[in-house]
Amino acid sequence: MAKIPDPLVIGRVIGDVVDNISPTIEMSVTYNSNKQVYNGHELFPSSVTIKPKVDVQGGDMRSFFTLIMTDPDVPGPSDPYLREHIHWIVTDIPGTTDSSFGKDVVSYEMPRPNIGIHRFVFLLFKQKRRQTVNPPLSRDGFSTRKFAEENELGLPVAAVFFNCQRETAARRR
């Protein structure tokens, strides 16, 4: 039987953003209560202006998680020299709830891609304990790998990404 290709590998999330993933937790990301994020699907900038609801399932009352939303394609996918741009960091998310119960370290910034199709990646890391992390000095030049290493987060336990490109009036739905 043929192995089903991993969309995180095909979409180069594994490789460009993280080295690997250890999927042990269920995470769902939903914008405007009806637009769920699925790997590789396209969402329009006009539909992702407000931070999404991120549900975490599979943890327990003693576990806490860190959520990162990043764009590895800044300023454009053909030359992402500002890789990565951080859009959101939430820590101390209880293992049986959603991101609204966590602590915003970097406030949500809506996607605004100018050139090409950008990937917007949500990564969930299991924390060893409640912890305080320092926000990055800049949103550009962020490194998920370095952040995870500095905060002893290990590999992500869940990940999902969507594609997004600049909207023109003709493309708006």
Side-chain angles (χ1 to χ4, degrees), residues 99-137:
S99 59
S100 65
F101 291 92
K103 178 181 154 192
D104 277 24
V105 174
V106 174
S107 62
Y108 180 79
E109 178 183 84
M110 69 175 272
R112 287 188 289 259
N114 284 322
I115 304 166
I117 300 170
H118 289 234
R119 296 165 292 164
F120 290 88
V121 183
F122 293 89
L123 298 152
L124 189 70
F125 294 87
K126 186 171 184 183
Q127 298 172 199
K128 292 182 178 177
R129 62 199 165 290
R130 280 186 179 264
Q131 63 188 71
T132 302
V133 299
N134 294 320
L137 299 174

Side-chain angles (χ1 to χ4, degrees), residues 2 11 18-19 22 27 31-35 38-39 41 47 59 61 78 90-91 96 114 118 126 131 138 145 163 166:
V18 292
D19 294 324
S22 176
M27 173 180 68
Y31 280 95
N32 304 318
S33 72
N34 66 352
K35 291 204 182 287
Y38 295 102
N39 284 323
H41 287 205
S47 66
M61 294 301 290
S78 62
V90 184
T91 62
T96 55
N114 284 322
H118 289 234
K126 186 171 184 183
Q131 63 188 71
S138 168
R145 287 178 180 93
N163 293 318
R166 185 177 178 180

Side-chain angles (χ1 to χ4, degrees), residues 5-154:
D6 186 335
L8 296 170
V9 173
I10 293 169
R12 296 183 338 272
V13 170
I14 295 175
D16 287 352
V17 182
V18 292
D19 294 324
N20 210 340
I21 182 170
S22 176
T24 56
I25 297 293
E26 291 289 319
M27 173 180 68
S28 66
V29 179
T30 309
Y31 280 95
N32 304 318
S33 72
N34 66 352
K35 291 204 182 287
Q36 186 160 352
V37 174
Y38 295 102
N39 284 323
H41 287 205
E42 183 175 7
L43 294 176
F44 295 110
S46 60
S47 66
V48 294
T49 58
I50 299 169
K51 71 181 175 181
K53 181 176 186 204
V54 179
D55 286 312
V56 177
Q57 299 146 4
D60 57 46
M61 294 301 290
R62 296 180 310 269
S63 55
F64 294 94
F65 296 89
T66 293
L67 174 73
I68 293 174
M69 177 187 177
T70 185
D71 175 357
D73 299 318
V74 176
S78 62
D79 186 19
Y81 64 87
L82 294 176
R83 175 179 291 168
E84 302 163 35
H85 183 87
I86 191 70
H87 281 266
W88 196 24
I89 299 177
V90 184
T91 62
D92 294 337
I93 301 168
T96 55
T97 187
D98 64 66
S99 59
S100 65
F101 291 92
K103 178 181 154 192
D104 277 24
V105 174
V106 174
S107 62
Y108 180 79
E109 178 183 84
M110 69 175 272
R112 287 188 289 259
N114 284 322
I115 304 166
I117 300 170
H118 289 234
R119 296 165 292 164
F120 290 88
V121 183
F122 293 89
L123 298 152
L124 189 70
F125 294 87
K126 186 171 184 183
Q127 298 172 199
K128 292 182 178 177
R129 62 199 165 290
R130 280 186 179 264
Q131 63 188 71
T132 302
V133 299
N134 294 320
L137 299 174
S138 168
R139 286 187 184 257
D140 288 327
F142 181 80
S143 168
T144 297
R145 287 178 180 93
K146 185 176 174 187
F147 182 85
E149 183 181 316
E150 288 171 353
N151 293 286
E152 300 175 6
L153 295 173

